[in-house]
Amino acid sequence: MTGSPLVWLLPAAALRASLAEMAPDGARGCEGVALWLGRRLAGVVTVTHVIGLRGPGVIRRPDFLSISPELLDDVTDIAIAKDAYLVGQVHSHPGSWVDLSDLDKRSGIRAPGYLSVVAPHFASDPATPPGRCGFHVFNGARWRRLAWWERPWRVVITAGEVPLILVGESR
């Protein structure tokens, strides 16, 4: 990516809804995930929707998470209908570790400007503040974790509501 670094506008409600979406998986000792749709204009990415994943197309285990291509196709259809695209995600890890694992880096979504947030303690607390999460951006070549001092101006926590859209079959 060239030019000025991207800035993400992330509604606090989107982060809370995402953590709440992942909390039942965390209660079972498994990783959880929520995807974020949004729009990009002039170097600013705005998160507009939270996507909760359901059914056999998403596998959640204590140290593994996988989303099927078919379920991602369904997410793409919704993004197109909402005039948005997949801008980021949040997933959870056990304990306080909020870096991306080697598997996350190798097998996760790797699109320039994609934001990947890691929530601690299997997202067991929907009120987890952003400062306790790890914020990572894919720059087109590799993942980079945003430094503690950089995160507040690169990922700006905003007010406002965002809808939660459930994709796939019931849990």
Side-chain angles (χ1 to χ4, degrees):
M1 293 176 47
T2 60
S4 299
L6 287 176
V7 171
W8 291 266
L9 302 180
L10 175 62
L15 185 57
R16 280 192 310 273
S18 299
L19 295 173
E21 174 66 19
M22 296 186 297
D25 300 316
R28 293 190 317 274
C30 294
E31 291 190 23
V33 64
L35 303 177
W36 294 331
L37 300 182
R39 296 182 182 96
R40 179 175 169 176
L41 179 64
V44 177
V45 177
T46 302
V47 174
T48 58
H49 299 80
V50 174
I51 303 291
L53 303 173
R54 299 286 190 269
V58 59
I59 298 169
R60 301 167 176 97
R61 295 186 185 141
D63 59 354
F64 181 77
L65 183 65
S66 175
I67 304 168
S68 74
E70 295 82 9
L71 195 54
L72 283 175
D73 283 348
D74 292 344
V75 171
T76 300
D77 291 342
I78 290 168
I80 291 168
K82 301 293 182 187
D83 192 30
Y85 73 100
L86 191 58
V87 298
Q89 68 182 41
V90 58
H91 76 281
S92 62
H93 282 174
S96 59
W97 188 59
V98 293
D99 284 325
L100 293 176
S101 69
D102 288 339
L103 184 61
D104 292 335
K105 291 175 187 175
R106 277 192 321 272
S107 301
I109 295 171
R110 296 164 43 110
Y114 193 75
L115 183 67
S116 182
V117 179
V118 179
H121 306 289
F122 284 136
S124 57
D125 180 5
T128 298
R132 293 226 176 117
C133 298
F135 288 77
H136 312 263
V137 62
F138 190 73
N139 67 11
R142 66 179 181 87
W143 284 102
R144 186 175 75 77
R145 182 172 175 182
L146 299 179
W148 65 269
W149 55 267
E150 180 183 21
R151 200 277 310 152
W153 66 268
R154 294 283 309 276
V155 182
V156 179
I157 306 302
T158 63
E161 296 301 314
V162 296
L164 170 65
I165 301 171
L166 302 178
V167 180
E169 300 172 20
S170 298
R171 276 193 177 155

